[in-house]
Amino acid sequence: MTQPKTALITGITGQDGSYLAELLLAKGYRVVGVVRRSSTTPYDRIGHLVDRVELLSADLLDQTSLMDVMAEVHPDEIYNLAAQSFVATSWNQPVLTGEFTGLGVTRMLEAMRRTVPRARFYQASSSEQFGMVQETPQRETTPFYPRSPYGVAKVYGHWITVNYRESFGLYAVSGILFNHESPRRGLEFVTRKVTDGVARIVTGKATELRLGNLDARRDWGFAGDYVDAMWRMLQQERPADFVIGTGETWTVRQLCEEAFGHVGLDWSAHVVTDKKFERPAEVELLVADPSKARHELGWEPTVRFRALVRMMVDADLARHRATPAP
């Protein structure tokens, strides 16, 4: 009987980490999650998985802890999903963002190189690396032009992954994932801010929703689909980077129309634009060309934009109805 593969996931308590852990457990993996030591245990997204995964303490800011975990676990696959991942915060905390989202990748790769060089490594790259886009749609060969400290840090993480692959012969790949959402998305992200706002208005907990740039266009997909692409990248004979997205683009305004319309409300009666939510340097348009992933990975998104928005609104409505307004 063959031993099950072992996967090590940083960021297991996040949206992507929780969906990836579910996927890998369903495939028979031993799943080990890296968590930062904390006085609290924010395991909301993986509460239903805690008895089926192993959780070990380590930190992307601490090289030794990462090496110790890898030496103990001996993973076959490593998924580096941990980061300071909110773009808006990266302007307020640019140095910390660089440490986690940029240099943290180097620490992970160096720990892997020194302890488990035969493992396969996945780095969570981002469509924010394209920033002020140099061509549309964006594909694997599109030049990067990041427009935030987060985007800049992600570019560093991407290229250091390429560098370790080419310098040391590691199986190390990056998935350049476009926006991917779900009911587990953080409340600070615009999709979840909108769907939660709709639920709050419907349940009488709010009357308005304040947003920034309604004209920004994004390629939004379902996080559950995107973790499947991550796994597929590590099953290929040779390491390669892939753009993952739906190939469709929607504005924040259309997001509002769909979310409010799902519950029979006119979005324009509730949404207020507020300049404090606008970025210092805006990314106006992101849309993927996922043809390489389709052809080489056999990957296709299964949940499209409208179904995704409705799924998120329904989940937030259920949550707010379970906790009525005072």
Side-chain angles (χ1 to χ4, degrees), residues 133-185:
V133 297
Q134 302 300 289
E135 66 175 345
T136 298
Q138 294 87 55
R139 52 183 64 88
E140 290 79 8
T141 55
T142 302
F144 298 136
Y145 194 144
R147 296 271 282 171
S148 66
Y150 169 80
V152 172
K154 279 293 187 183
V155 169
Y156 177 92
H158 180 92
W159 282 116
I160 200 67
T161 302
V162 172
N163 185 260
Y164 267 66
R165 178 171 73 219
E166 295 179 350
S167 299
F168 303 114
L170 301 181
Y171 193 111
V173 304
S174 288
I176 308 173
L177 270 56
F178 281 64
N179 295 64
H180 46 290
E181 320 297 320
S182 76
R184 301 179 194 173
R185 189 58 140 155

Side-chain angles (χ1 to χ4, degrees), residues 221-234:
F222 174 51
D225 287 339
Y226 287 45
V227 299
D228 176 59
M230 299 177 189
W231 175 77
R232 288 173 187 246
M233 286 182 217
L234 294 194

Side-chain angles (χ1 to χ4, degrees), residues 45-66:
R45 297 183 181 94
I46 60 166
H48 61 301
L49 302 175
V50 165
D51 293 338
R52 301 172 62 201
V53 301
E54 301 168 47
L55 299 176
L56 297 176
S57 293
D59 198 306
L60 289 188
L61 302 185
D62 180 27
Q63 181 81 60
T64 302
S65 69
L66 299 174

